[in-house]
């Protein structure tokens, strides 16, 4: 059991250095709490992401934007969970990366370039915008991340180029 008071003392309102580094004010703060069953699918975020762990640990498998050429998207039925945990299909589809969440395409013969990082209590990870990431965590993990809007400059243009070329090749 975690005391709200002690956890609140562990959370920065926003890292002092980040607004100056990114040239923009904080856009959002997200609070994460869960156990080893909480796993994110492989995805990317359109934000500069500063991720801090307070308790437990989180393991990030990161793929640079240039790996977009090897990440296959599929179209999956939009669904939601019912209150009793059953998946209920909805109208429409959503593009999603076809990756087994517990084994994200990192075999010896893979063309991907994963970087695996475990973030422990008191540590912070900078996750650049548009880097693909798959996240697992230990038991009783508490974390917070800070999102900063991106600069739609050359790096964004480069990612869009990777994305369009990958789509043209059927990925």
């Amino acid at each position: 059991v975690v005391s709200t008071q002690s956890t609140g003392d562990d959370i920065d309102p926003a890292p002092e250095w980040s607004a100056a580094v990114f040239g923009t004010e904080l856009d959002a703060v997200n609070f994460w709490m869960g156990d080893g069953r909480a796993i994110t699918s492989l995805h990317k975020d359109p934000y500069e992401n500063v991720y801090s762990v307070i308790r437990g640990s989180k393991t990030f498998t990161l793929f640079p934007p240039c790996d977009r050429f090897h990440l296959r998207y599929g179209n999956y039925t939009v669904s939601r969970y019912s209150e009793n945990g059953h998946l209920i299909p909805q109208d429409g589809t959503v593009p999603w990366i076809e990756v087994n969440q517990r084994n994200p395409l990192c075999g010896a013969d893979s063309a991907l370039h994963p970087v695996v990082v475990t973030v422990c209590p008191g540590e912070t990870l900078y996750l650049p915008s548009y880097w693909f990431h798959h996240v697992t965590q230990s038991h009783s993990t508490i974390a917070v991340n800070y999102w900063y809007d991106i600069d739609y400059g050359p790096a964004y243009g480069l990612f869009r180029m990777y994305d369009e070329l990958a789509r043209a090749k059927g990925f």
Side-chain angles (χ1 to χ4, degrees), residues 44-47 63-65 128-132 150 152 155-156 159-160:
K44 64 184 177 343
D45 295 312
Y47 292 97
F63 300 91
S129 60
Y130 291 104
W131 274 59
F132 294 91
I150 64 169
Y152 288 94
Y156 175 74
F159 175 78
R160 294 298 309 144

Side-chain angles (χ1 to χ4, degrees), residues 57-170:
S57 65
K58 292 225 176 203
T59 299
F60 291 76
T61 303
L62 308 169
F63 300 91
C66 61
D67 277 359
R68 172 61 183 92
F69 290 115
H70 307 289
L71 297 171
R72 295 181 186 274
Y73 275 82
N75 286 314
Y76 294 88
T77 302
V78 173
S79 300
R80 69 174 179 82
Y81 281 102
S82 66
E83 289 181 19
N84 60 3
H86 293 97
L87 199 58
I88 302 171
Q90 307 293 296
D91 290 334
T93 61
V94 62
W96 212 252
I97 301 170
E98 299 180 40
V99 173
N100 176 333
Q101 295 181 44
R102 296 187 186 271
N103 184 17
L105 299 176
C106 297
D109 59 346
S110 175
L112 296 171
H113 305 93
V115 175
V116 179
V117 177
T118 298
V119 184
C120 297
E123 295 180 339
T124 298
L125 170 70
Y126 164 54
L127 178 57
S129 60
Y130 291 104
W131 274 59
F132 294 91
H133 51 287
H134 160 73
V135 187
T136 60
Q137 60 189 19
S138 68
H139 64 287
S140 302
T141 299
I142 298 174
V144 63
N145 74 312
Y146 307 90
W147 278 348
Y148 294 83
D149 204 4
I150 64 169
D151 173 14
Y152 288 94
Y156 175 74
L158 185 61
F159 175 78
R160 294 298 309 144
M161 181 190 73
Y162 288 143
D163 196 43
E164 291 303 318
L165 288 172
R167 287 177 200 267
K169 291 187 67 153

Side-chain angles (χ1 to χ4, degrees), residues 15-33:
E16 291 179 21
W17 53 267
S18 47
V21 168
F22 302 127
T24 185
E25 293 301 313
L26 179 67
D27 195 52
V29 178
N30 302 297
F31 177 82
W32 304 97
M33 185 169 73

